[in-house]
Amino acid sequence: MGIESMENHQGRQAAAGFQGHPWLVEERDACGVGFIASQKGHATHRLIEQSLTGLTCMEHRGACSADRDSGDGAGLMTAIPWELFSPWLQEQQTSVPGTDAIGVGMVFLPADDGKSAIARQKLEQFATEVGFKTLGWRTVPVHPDVLGEQAKANQPQIEQLFLASETLRGDDLERQLYLVRKRTEQAATGSDWGTDFYVCSLSNRTIVYKGMVRSAVLGTFYADLQNSLYTSCFAIYHRRFSTNTMPKWPLAQPMRFLGHNGEINTLLGNINWMKARKPQLSHPHWDQYAESLDPIVNANNSDSSNLDNAMELLVQSGRSPQEALMILVPEAYRNQPALTDHPEIVDFYEYYSGLQEAWDGPALVVFSDGKTVGATLDRNGLRPARYCITKDDYVIVGSEAGAVPVPEADIISKGRLGPGQMIAVDLEQQEVLTNWQIKQRISQAHPYGAWIQAQRQTLTEGAFLAETQMETSTCLNQQVAYGYSIEDVEMVVQAMAKDGKEPTFCMGDDIPLSIL
């Protein structure tokens, strides 16, 4: 910028009232995410309307394509609106069981009628094989005219599958629905019909309405969301800013268990470790079906999708969402003053540190399994997560304060999550759980400290070698085979051998010029 243009720029800033440097004022954190939950479990349509308002206020956190109308993605996760679906269920020419025996799938099908027919047939086939009865397919009412050009060109057929079980209820029903979805996804991989096939949700507890749309368009596109019969006691909402994948309908969030604001910067390592441990997958729930769960992670999907898949496996295997996220996204617990009085929590993290590498952010994750809804920050704490609790027992958490309008007089408590902290609403027990309540309950469930003492083996320090162990050429071959470069040897290995600690260094030379 020349001197004259700089003066003009400064003059404009002064005239407008200087708000701060552009990098500070104009930059935004990626993705908008939040949830609303009724602590008392009151299901209302008003809550859906408020969540759509909060989602619309997150528009500045999302991104659009060149048509300025096709968003990176937006979506809602709610409880299943049985009152909305009841008339359709009664119309089916078959006996309909109680809602506790029905699984509802929100499915994106290929636009091609032939391919979508195969996809439906495959889903029904795998459901029948494990004892489900297909009640029917409901066409989801949508308004494609509100879509942007690119979103409309890629719009899938959107239908809902209703499955009934004679014997399964609760968690057992959820696990079997998970298995049906995974087996169908496995069959879809590499097939002609599977290219545009995606199951947004298949559950007895939760349902996901999402798409490659802007925030304000979601509620207009899905007619169900405008229906007063659509009620829920909680809603997770998400507006996407695509960072490491191209926008697609399936990659809109929420996923099946979470909505994520941020990036997983350890993604490649996390994916590789999950794949490496796949042969060790063993659990009473999956013994005869372990191969059906593959792939658990997929490098072609987004970081959020992979984290969601890893969390889903843990939850479907019997853990609570809070415990699953404590394992996957742990806080910085070593030398943490706040944990001085909570050695059992340190033991929990220490125990799992040898079993699961951290999925490191920055990340704000909101989550639900239909029984609990909550939010957690990763140990970096570099994403905003503000919350408030109202007089009428509503808990609102979001990456923006004020996205869901609440009169100040109605708020009895508010604050923000710090690094590694968590908040949750237990919809079954009707209680709000704070960070320490959650972590103490989970860490006290098992004697992790005793397990560490009994099972962990500590390697004793050995004497340094007095002479070389192999020829130089053989050593070089081995280094190349294991990915060592000259930089690794000279800057890392030698420094560690010399100083007994990991080296720190930077690229370039940041010594000030002599004149400065």
Side-chain angles (χ1 to χ4, degrees):
M1 184 181 289
I3 294 176
E4 182 176 348
S5 60
M6 185 182 294
E7 290 174 346
N8 291 337
H9 177 67
Q10 291 171 340
R12 288 195 299 272
Q13 287 182 330
F18 183 56
Q19 300 296 314
H21 294 288
W23 63 267
L24 182 63
V25 175
E26 296 171 9
E27 291 219 356
R28 298 286 186 269
D29 291 308
C31 296
V33 65
F35 76 77
I36 310 173
S38 166
Q39 179 184 343
K40 300 300 183 184
H42 295 145
T44 64
H45 183 64
R46 171 65 177 155
L47 187 144
I48 300 298
E49 293 175 332
Q50 287 181 304
S51 64
L52 289 171
T53 298
L55 180 61
T56 301
C57 289
M58 298 292 187
E59 179 56 36
H60 67 286
R61 286 183 170 271
C64 286
S65 71
D67 64 15
R68 306 191 69 180
D69 207 11
S70 299
D72 273 5
L76 287 185
M77 178 202 292
T78 71
I80 295 178
W82 294 112
E83 191 178 358
L84 173 68
F85 296 149
S86 180
W88 181 89
L89 285 167
Q90 297 305 322
E91 291 172 4
Q92 305 313 300
Q93 303 301 312
T94 182
S95 60
V96 178
T99 56
D100 62 341
I102 300 175
V104 183
M106 184 75 162
V107 186
F108 289 165
L109 295 165
D112 180 271
D113 289 339
K115 294 178 181 178
S116 62
I118 297 173
R120 289 191 203 92
Q121 182 267 325
K122 290 290 185 182
L123 251 176
E124 292 182 29
Q125 173 191 330
F126 288 117
T128 302
E129 287 180 2
V130 292
F132 283 107
K133 175 184 177 183
T134 300
L135 300 179
W137 289 82
R138 174 181 181 263
T139 300
V140 180
V142 296
H143 298 292
D145 52 301
V146 303
L147 297 177
E149 183 180 340
Q150 186 180 354
K152 189 182 296 184
N154 294 287
Q155 181 198 329
Q157 292 188 45
I158 306 173
E159 299 182 19
Q160 288 163 341
L161 170 64
F162 290 76
L163 300 172
S165 172
E166 293 184 359
T167 59
L168 300 175
R169 301 292 185 274
D171 292 341
D172 292 331
L173 177 60
E174 289 295 299
R175 275 192 288 272
Q176 204 70 290
L177 291 169
Y178 170 59
L179 187 61
V180 169
R181 198 198 85 229
K182 293 297 289 186
R183 294 182 72 185
T184 311
E185 288 174 349
Q186 202 174 61
T189 303
S191 70
D192 188 36
W193 59 270
T195 304
D196 296 314
F197 168 78
Y198 178 80
V199 181
C200 303
S201 58
L202 181 56
S203 171
N204 171 255
R205 295 173 177 143
T206 62
I207 191 166
V208 173
Y209 280 73
K210 68 180 184 179
M212 207 171 89
V213 297
R214 293 183 296 108
S215 299
V217 173
L218 185 75
T220 309
F221 176 68
Y222 285 110
D224 284 349
L225 296 177
Q226 301 298 327
N227 194 317
S228 61
L229 295 178
Y230 195 127
T231 64
S232 177
C233 61
F234 80 93
I236 286 176
Y237 54 87
H238 188 281
R239 177 64 167 103
R240 185 169 187 244
F241 188 104
S242 178
T243 52
N244 59 3
T245 49
M246 288 293 288
K248 296 178 182 176
W249 280 78
L251 292 181
Q253 295 186 50
M255 302 294 181
R256 289 137 191 153
F257 277 87
L258 60 80
H260 167 223
N261 168 24
E263 297 82 37
I264 300 299
N265 285 321
T266 53
L267 181 64
L268 184 59
N270 296 137
I271 288 175
N272 287 337
W273 274 115
M274 290 297 290
K275 288 181 176 179
R277 291 208 173 97
K278 173 62 174 62
Q280 298 174 327
L281 177 60
S282 176
H283 194 280
H285 295 325
W286 315 122
D287 277 350
Q288 64 188 102
Y289 297 115
E291 292 304 316
S292 299
L293 304 181
D294 200 37
I296 296 168
V297 290
N298 185 346
N300 293 323
N301 289 346
S302 67
D303 51 356
S304 305
S305 176
N306 280 293
L307 176 59
D308 182 77
N309 288 348
M311 177 183 178
E312 183 178 38
L313 177 65
L314 290 177
V315 173
Q316 298 291 17
S317 299
R319 302 183 188 277
S320 68
Q322 304 95 295
E323 182 179 5
L325 284 171
M326 282 178 66
I327 294 170
L328 293 168
V329 191
E331 64 183 304
Y333 64 92
R334 289 194 177 99
N335 302 316
Q336 162 67 282
L339 289 175
T340 302
D341 298 328
H342 302 286
E344 73 282 2
I345 299 177
V346 175
D347 289 339
F348 174 92
Y349 287 128
E350 194 69 32
Y351 177 81
Y352 280 108
S353 68
L355 300 175
Q356 173 65 58
E357 293 69 28
W359 293 62
D360 240 351
L364 161 60
V365 177
V366 295
F367 58 87
S368 180
D369 63 346
K371 298 186 292 183
T372 303
V373 59
T376 188
L377 268 184
D378 77 312
R379 56 189 175 187
N380 296 295
L382 297 177
R383 285 293 181 268
R386 296 172 175 85
Y387 67 86
C388 69
I389 302 172
T390 67
K391 288 179 180 177
D392 49 357
D393 297 309
Y394 280 86
V395 180
I396 303 170
V397 176
S399 50
E400 300 278 359
V404 178
V406 179
E408 196 71 23
D410 292 345
I411 298 174
I412 60 174
S413 175
K414 63 180 178 180
R416 64 173 294 169
L417 296 182
Q421 292 184 348
M422 187 181 294
I423 187 172
V425 182
D426 187 325
L427 300 171
E428 293 186 323
Q429 300 300 318
Q430 300 186 353
E431 61 179 337
V432 178
L433 301 173
T434 60
N435 183 59
W436 295 125
Q437 287 176 315
I438 294 168
K439 292 175 179 176
Q440 281 183 298
R441 290 184 186 183
I442 291 172
S443 61
Q444 291 172 354
H446 298 289
Y448 292 104
W451 288 354
I452 292 173
Q453 292 295 326
Q455 302 294 333
R456 184 164 61 183
Q457 298 182 26
T458 303
L459 299 178
T460 56
E461 293 184 7
F464 282 103
L465 298 172
E467 55 188 36
T468 56
Q469 299 296 298
M470 62 180 71
E471 297 291 332
T472 302
S473 58
T474 306
C475 178
L476 182 60
N477 286 339
Q478 292 293 312
Q479 289 173 341
V480 171
Y482 284 91
Y484 282 80
S485 67
I486 190 86
E487 182 179 272
D488 294 318
V489 174
E490 293 184 352
M491 300 187 70
V492 179
V493 177
Q494 288 184 9
M496 292 174 70
K498 178 182 177 183
D499 300 325
K501 63 181 181 180
E502 291 190 38
T504 56
F505 53 89
C506 67
M507 296 184 69
D509 190 343
D510 58 357
I511 298 173
L513 298 174
S514 300
I515 193 171
L516 300 177

